Amino acid sequence: MDQEFMKKALTLAKKGSGLTSPNPLVGAVIVKRGKIIGRGYHKKAGQDHAEIVAIKDALKNKNSLKGTTLYCTLEPCCHSGKTGPCANEIVRFGMKKVFFSHVDPFGKVNGKGEKFLRKNGVEVFKGLLEPEARALNQPFLKVNKTGLPFVTLKAGISLDGKIATRAGKSEWITNSLSRSHGKELRDKYDAIVVGANTIVIDNPVLACKKGRLLRVIMDGKLKIDKKSKVFRDDDVVVITTSLATKKKINKFEKAGIKVVKIGSKKIDIKRMLRFLNKNYGVQSVFVEGGGETNGSFVDASMVDDVYFYISPEIIGGRDAVSVVGGLGALNLKKSLKLKNVDVEKLKDDILVHGIVNNY
């Protein structure tokens, strides 16, 4: 039954997808005599953590929490931030056992919550459904381990790996279901990255349903139009290089557009990702650019997972745009390898999702 209760906590955690950053997705259930009496999940950064929501849920039905068991997808915290320490409340209400999936890598917790609970007489069991719980919070785990955001590469392509014809036409390669699925996926990320050509050719809005999404434009020479639709508000930054003239940069800055140089002749992808995390708190990046943008991330070994929506059509042509440009691998040993690959049909299209790195 322990696994079943933790599965319910994991299901609850997923409800906060796209809304909790920079905090992780966390779910919790409280069990008394084999029955769930409290449920909760972290809904948004700054709001109650999952454990507290579950405690309040149990209390509203006048349940006593003494002797109960908590199942939580992450180690309960023991520090005060925007909310109070969950571990203290677990002890205060006399809960007897705590099962959590894995240790919270955040420096102010990282085993201290577990230690506090044990010290105060709570039985603690860790590791229950750990792989499933870690899979929910790859961005949070990667940032705490490396200081770099988690990067997803997404593209809609033809069967022969093209994203546009030799004339640059790309609307639409994939079907409406694939495009809707991709937009829903975008909502889960902190930032979207596209290249200058995407702005010049498509002039996209790059919107999302959740409201705020940092739009990052990679433009080494500042060739985009500062009146493009993407500059509809302040949630945008242009990353350029030393190839961009001071005059061009000044024009963008006078228009209220943030421009940052990261690299001399080409944008340094790793430095850019570190900058986005440090200056904007970005933990997850959705790369939805053209072939050269995609290639720059692949060449830099900065891709963590891949979503390719494949249309059953062949465009052909050596000059048609390929999904991944850049330098590419010299030999197959150096190619980007996907694991844990899932394949899903979206009408006639096929969605292929694979993991590159686990954290």
Side-chain angles (χ1 to χ4, degrees):
M1 285 300 292
D2 292 331
Q3 283 200 2
E4 294 305 311
F5 290 131
M6 190 61 83
K7 284 179 181 178
K8 292 186 183 300
L10 286 166
T11 299
L12 286 166
K14 293 174 185 177
K15 290 186 175 184
S17 183
L19 302 171
T20 65
S21 184
N23 294 345
L25 298 173
V26 184
V29 298
I30 298 171
V31 175
K32 188 172 187 177
R33 299 189 188 98
K35 292 184 178 182
I36 295 176
I37 61 169
R39 296 174 173 84
Y41 69 95
H42 186 42
K43 295 180 180 180
K44 192 175 181 180
Q47 295 186 11
D48 285 339
H49 289 183
E51 302 94 315
I52 304 303
V53 177
I55 287 172
K56 289 180 177 179
D57 185 47
L59 292 175
K60 76 180 182 182
N61 293 316
K62 302 190 184 328
N63 288 295
S64 169
L65 298 182
K66 190 171 183 180
T68 56
T69 299
L70 172 72
Y71 295 83
C72 191
T73 58
L74 187 70
E75 175 188 13
C77 68
C78 54
H79 71 288
S80 293
K82 291 183 178 179
T83 60
C86 299
N88 292 49
E89 296 301 287
I90 292 168
V91 171
R92 184 166 78 90
F93 282 103
M95 302 177 81
K96 184 180 180 182
K97 297 180 182 179
V98 171
F99 287 80
F100 67 83
S101 298
H102 64 92
V103 170
D104 185 338
F106 183 57
K108 292 183 178 180
V109 188
N110 200 10
K112 297 182 183 71
E114 176 189 359
K115 186 177 180 181
F116 177 85
L117 292 172
R118 291 186 188 279
K119 184 179 178 181
N120 285 275
V122 179
E123 295 179 54
V124 180
F125 306 86
K126 62 182 176 181
L128 186 60
L129 300 186
E130 181 172 355
E132 291 86 344
R134 295 183 76 88
L136 285 182
N137 286 306
Q138 288 294 289
F140 176 76
L141 295 172
K142 182 184 179 183
V143 165
N144 277 279
K145 183 177 181 179
T146 69
L148 295 168
F150 185 87
V151 176
T152 291
L153 179 62
K154 174 262 180 183
I157 65 176
S158 64
L159 199 58
D160 55 338
K162 307 297 185 181
I163 59 172
T165 69
R166 59 191 171 91
K169 305 298 182 182
S170 61
E171 292 187 355
W172 296 105
I173 291 176
T174 55
N175 63 35
S176 59
L177 187 58
S178 291
R179 297 196 300 274
S180 295
H181 191 284
K183 286 183 179 179
E184 288 176 9
L185 192 62
R186 184 192 289 177
D187 283 343
K188 298 179 180 181
Y189 292 79
D190 296 332
I192 182 171
V193 175
V194 300
N197 287 338
T198 297
I199 302 300
V200 172
I201 296 169
D202 299 333
N203 195 18
V205 176
L206 300 182
C208 72
K209 290 180 182 178
K210 69 178 180 182
R212 302 197 67 176
L213 176 73
L214 181 69
R215 283 104 57 204
V216 182
I217 317 301
M218 292 175 56
D219 186 357
K221 296 180 180 179
L222 279 188
K223 66 180 183 179
I224 57 177
D225 188 339
K226 61 182 183 296
K227 294 182 180 179
S228 300
K229 292 178 184 177
V230 74
F231 299 117
R232 65 186 185 277
D233 57 36
D234 294 334
D235 289 329
V236 62
V237 59
V238 179
I239 307 298
T240 191
T241 67
S242 297
L243 296 175
T245 64
K246 190 173 183 180
K247 184 178 179 181
K248 282 187 176 180
I249 293 174
N250 287 340
K251 284 183 178 179
F252 274 80
E253 290 180 339
K254 283 181 181 178
I257 300 167
K258 178 76 173 177
V259 178
V260 181
K261 282 186 182 180
I262 302 181
S264 53
K265 293 185 178 180
K266 66 178 184 178
I267 294 168
D268 186 318
I269 299 298
K270 189 172 183 178
R271 276 180 58 199
M272 179 182 77
L273 290 171
R274 200 175 295 280
F275 166 82
L276 291 175
N277 175 249
K278 184 177 179 180
N279 292 273
Y280 290 91
V282 170
Q283 291 194 348
S284 56
V285 168
F286 196 57
V287 180
E288 200 172 353
E292 290 308 306
T293 298
N294 297 341
S296 66
F297 278 86
V298 172
D299 288 345
S301 299
M302 287 291 116
V303 176
D304 294 305
D305 76 342
V306 173
Y307 286 85
F308 276 6
Y309 298 82
I310 306 171
S311 170
E313 62 185 300
I314 295 173
I315 292 174
R318 67 175 62 89
D319 294 327
V321 185
S322 294
V323 63
V324 179
L327 293 174
L330 281 172
N331 57 66
L332 293 179
K333 289 183 179 178
K334 300 290 186 179
S335 64
L336 192 71
K337 302 290 194 302
L338 305 184
K339 51 199 174 189
N340 301 335
V341 175
D342 292 318
V343 178
E344 180 183 350
K345 283 201 70 177
L346 298 171
K347 291 184 179 177
D348 289 333
D349 286 358
I350 298 169
L351 169 58
V352 177
H353 171 233
I355 304 296
V356 180
N357 300 306
N358 276 309
Y359 299 94

